[in-house]
């Protein structure tokens, strides 16, 4: 992540003023900040039962490392949906998605597995909830301010950064169905509404968002990998690849940029060149002024 | 996969003749055929020890369902690196990457775990080998025939389809370092050499390939998911998303196209519009005629 922190903005998405749009840096900084340090979770993810008045405080304190508790029956006010999901996310980060179930979380929290079921119905809901926990940290505030293309590019930057901080959740996000109260659906609604205000037909807006999301998730996997993952080694039978690898390392070292960041920026720039060309080719224009975002 | 089979080609990458380039359909058909039915693996992946003269025939027969054998010491000629890796791939497809180790494969093949180590050094080499098995099924023959952009788009189609047939391997591919004898490195060498013949500087060729690969892997994850994954359900608080979902379903039903395919085609078209714009903006041109691909 250190290399990406050097270029926090939406990046050079076309060589124009967008490169240094203040919104881009702010949004990305917010993404990094929320992702690294802020355990804020919306009310609807906290304590389904509503019986844990101090749920926020309890889980806030345990965001990074939940306190080890002796086995036994804890005060019910300590347990909350949020604490369970945050513990699940932490375990997923530590051991991978496959090792994390209700039993493992109960053990980690020092409670009986049965105690968790007041807050989370089971494994499927647990996994979906953890996905939501991560999704909800993706900034969407730029959609209320910026034109569709600028906002969408900023969203992509924050989205990738948020999921790259939790690599095992990437594959989960990509294949899990949305629950009926999913906060991810609200994020999608914000994105699609902005694209529709920008003039995109509803169906095309969704298709475009999913295409961008595929690039984001693949790029998050790439960012999560080691920088030298593609090192071909000392072999002599792949001369073009070896030359490219050496040449890229030299170029990027000179620019202080990581390889994953360079590919993400190149791909994002290409995608948005194409999206804008498609937009122009379809003769699209923003919806009436009343529904345009506030500037 | 059924929806994608209806559009086997490189797709509408710009509304020109490329849409129906014969190479696109042939390459994709080859991808589908190899991926679905052909267990062909290059010699270098078969039998490191070279002591199993019938390795090809033995593993060919067991590609889909390895025969259950009684525990005990099998004839050594039955075991091969290829059989072990193919069994690993099948188990990964069935139970996910986390459940597959040397022990599980030995059990499946009815041999002692120690018998495997003559062919595969351990878990890391096993996982890398399975990744290679899948990578090697991605067609690259178009790079010898087509201009860089046409070939690259066809490669993307075959690459996505190959990995979408084995979803648990997608995350493996994205984060595993390349071994020194990796066939994946040879695929990358073919791609980068073609881009360099097309005029791309070596470092930029690699950066571009990785960007495209991120989109491909994300799209493979999307293709592996259920078509109704994004159904927001009956909720009323995400009106734009709900409208887009309904509208997209109607449009795609009329066209007989799956949602993952629609997003892949839109994203691929956008990326290549951008790649071509970048190529033109940099003033690039193919290398001297002698090194151009044969037409």
């Amino acid at each position: 992540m250190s290399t990406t922190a050097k270029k926090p903005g939406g990046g050079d998405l076309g060589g124009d003023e967008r490169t240094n749009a203040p919104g881009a840096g702010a949004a990305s900084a917010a993404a990094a900040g929320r992702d690294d340090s802020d355990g804020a979770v919306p009310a609807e993810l906290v304590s389904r039962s509503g019986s844990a008045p101090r749920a926020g405080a309890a889980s806030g304190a345990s965001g990074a490392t939940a306190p080890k508790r002796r086995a036994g029956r804890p005060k019910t006010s300590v347990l909350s949906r949020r604490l369970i999901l945050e513990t699940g996310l932490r375990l997923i980060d530590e051991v991978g998605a496959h090792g994390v179930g209700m039993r493992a979380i109960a053990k980690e929290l020092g409670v009986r597995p049965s105690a968790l079921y007041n807050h989370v119905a089971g494994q499927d809901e647990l996994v979906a909830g953890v996905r939501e926990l991560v999704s909800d940290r993706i900034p969407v505030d730029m959609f209320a301010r910026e034109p569709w293309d600028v906002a969408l590019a900023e969203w992509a930057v924050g989205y990738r950064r948020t999921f790259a901080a939790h690599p095992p959740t990437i594959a989960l996000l990509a294949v899990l169905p949305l629950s009926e109260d999913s906060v991810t659906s609200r994020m999608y609604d914000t994105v699609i509404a902005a694209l529709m205000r920008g003039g995109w037909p509803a169906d095309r807006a969704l298709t475009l968002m999913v295409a961008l999301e595929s690039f984001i998730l693949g790029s998050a996997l790439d960012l999560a990998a080691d920088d030298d993952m593609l090192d071909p080694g000392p072999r002599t039978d792949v001369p073009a690849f070896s030359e490219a690898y050496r040449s890229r390392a030299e170029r990027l070292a000179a620019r202080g940029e990581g390889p994953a960041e360079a590919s993400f920026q190149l791909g994002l720039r290409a995608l948005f060149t194409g999206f804008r060309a498609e937009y122009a080719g379809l003769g699209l224009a923003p919806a009436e002024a009343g529904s345009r975002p506030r500037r």
Side-chain angles (χ1 to χ4, degrees), chain A residues 4-31 142 145-146 148-161 212 215-216 257 261-273 276:
Chain A
T4 63
K6 292 166 191 163
K7 282 196 81 174
D12 45 330
L13 283 168
D16 58 15
E17 299 83 345
R18 290 184 179 111
T19 305
N20 296 312
S28 300
M142 69 289 281
R145 282 193 313 268
E146 305 286 348
W148 71 267
D149 52 348
V150 176
L152 197 63
E154 289 182 23
W155 176 71
V157 169
Y159 192 158
R160 163 176 170 267
R161 183 168 297 151
L212 178 58
F215 175 66
I216 292 166
E257 190 177 41
E261 187 66 17
S263 282
F264 179 66
Q265 293 296 340
L266 174 61
L268 201 62
R269 190 167 60 229
L271 273 174
F272 277 82
T273 297
R276 292 191 193 103

Side-chain angles (χ1 to χ4, degrees), chain A residues 21-90:
Chain A
S28 300
R34 291 177 73 183
D35 191 48
D36 293 334
S37 60
D38 184 349
V41 177
E44 60 278 8
L45 270 179
V46 178
S47 183
R48 301 173 90 206
S49 64
S51 64
R54 296 281 299 156
S59 63
S62 62
T65 49
K68 291 267 184 186
R69 296 173 52 85
R70 258 171 280 144
R73 203 163 186 81
K75 278 181 262 181
T76 52
S77 65
V78 173
L79 264 189
S80 69
R81 181 171 165 82
R82 175 167 151 178
L83 175 59
I84 293 165
L85 297 179
E86 286 183 346
T87 303
L89 176 57
R90 182 165 50 79

Side-chain angles (χ1 to χ4, degrees), chain A residues 233-281:
Chain A
R235 63 195 287 180
T236 57
D237 62 335
V238 290
F241 182 32
S242 295
E243 178 188 343
Y245 187 81
R246 274 195 307 272
S247 167
R248 186 184 69 167
E250 288 170 12
R251 289 273 185 139
L252 295 180
R255 278 154 56 181
E257 190 177 41
E261 187 66 17
S263 282
F264 179 66
Q265 293 296 340
L266 174 61
L268 201 62
R269 190 167 60 229
L271 273 174
F272 277 82
T273 297
F275 291 159
R276 292 191 193 103
E278 181 114 0
Y279 184 86

Side-chain angles (χ1 to χ4, degrees), chain A residues 63-64 66 68 83-109 116 126 130 166 168-169:
Chain A
K68 291 267 184 186
L83 175 59
I84 293 165
L85 297 179
E86 286 183 346
T87 303
L89 176 57
R90 182 165 50 79
L91 288 179
I92 285 174
D93 285 342
E94 288 171 11
V95 302
H98 59 277
V100 180
M102 298 293 269
R103 189 174 299 272
I105 291 176
K107 187 179 174 196
E108 183 72 15
L109 291 173
L116 303 183
L126 171 69
V130 169
H166 309 284
T169 64

